[in-house]
Amino acid sequence: MNADTMVLEAAAEIVAAFGSQNKERYFSCFSPAATFIFYSSNRPFYSRREYEDEWESWQKGGFRVHGCFSSEAKVTLHADSQIAIFTHSVRTESSISGERMTIGERETIVFEKNGERWLAIHEHLSLDPNFT
């Protein structure tokens, strides 16, 4: 299987795990040293553990994911095919304390090849200004 396909599969695993709110499966897709920047957070997270702790606080506050859908996926390989940049548009259906919402976002995930597996090492999320 070629690297592009493997990265697309790794990204699809992240989207599916997030969309099903499977915390263990979702976080296993990220390196422990991964970093995260989300427009919805007042600070970056400099490790998977920091983000996992924040996720727990969101859950306690009533945050639930009901579905996550990816489109316009693109993979660009770098560093002798050891680093990949994945970009896509994403639509997330979620709720906070029972109030449902759908949000359109654009996301960049940087992957690094780790043996035969591609692990996410950075994620950046922004609002999609074209989402209606």
Side-chain angles (χ1 to χ4, degrees), residues 46-92:
Y46 294 111
S47 71
R48 183 177 72 196
R49 168 71 6 222
E50 283 185 35
Y51 178 28
E52 285 181 271
D53 291 345
E54 186 71 9
W55 177 280
E56 286 295 321
S57 74
W58 294 343
Q59 298 280 285
K60 289 176 184 170
F63 174 72
R64 299 290 178 267
V65 179
H66 303 287
C68 189
F69 309 94
S70 174
S71 63
E72 302 175 43
K74 180 171 175 36
V75 173
T76 307
L77 295 169
H78 298 276
D80 294 329
S81 299
Q82 298 300 301
I83 299 288
I85 298 174
F86 170 80
T87 58
H88 68 143
S89 293
V90 62
R91 188 180 86 242
T92 302

Side-chain angles (χ1 to χ4, degrees), residues 4-77:
D4 284 5
T5 301
M6 292 175 73
V7 171
L8 288 170
E9 287 182 359
E13 177 67 11
I14 288 174
V15 171
F18 182 80
S20 65
Q21 198 165 321
N22 185 325
K23 179 187 171 198
E24 290 75 25
R25 185 174 145 211
Y26 174 64
F27 283 104
S28 74
C29 297
F30 294 92
S31 162
T35 56
F36 306 85
I37 297 176
F38 304 133
Y39 67 91
S40 57
S41 177
N42 62 357
R43 66 182 182 90
F45 304 109
Y46 294 111
S47 71
R48 183 177 72 196
R49 168 71 6 222
E50 283 185 35
Y51 178 28
E52 285 181 271
D53 291 345
E54 186 71 9
W55 177 280
E56 286 295 321
S57 74
W58 294 343
Q59 298 280 285
K60 289 176 184 170
F63 174 72
R64 299 290 178 267
V65 179
H66 303 287
C68 189
F69 309 94
S70 174
S71 63
E72 302 175 43
K74 180 171 175 36
V75 173
T76 307
L77 295 169

Side-chain angles (χ1 to χ4, degrees), residues 7 31 81-84 110-115 117-122:
V7 171
S31 162
S81 299
Q82 298 300 301
I83 299 288
V110 180
F111 287 91
E112 180 177 46
K113 191 168 185 191
N114 186 331
R117 187 169 183 216
W118 287 87
L119 284 178
I121 59 171
H122 180 74

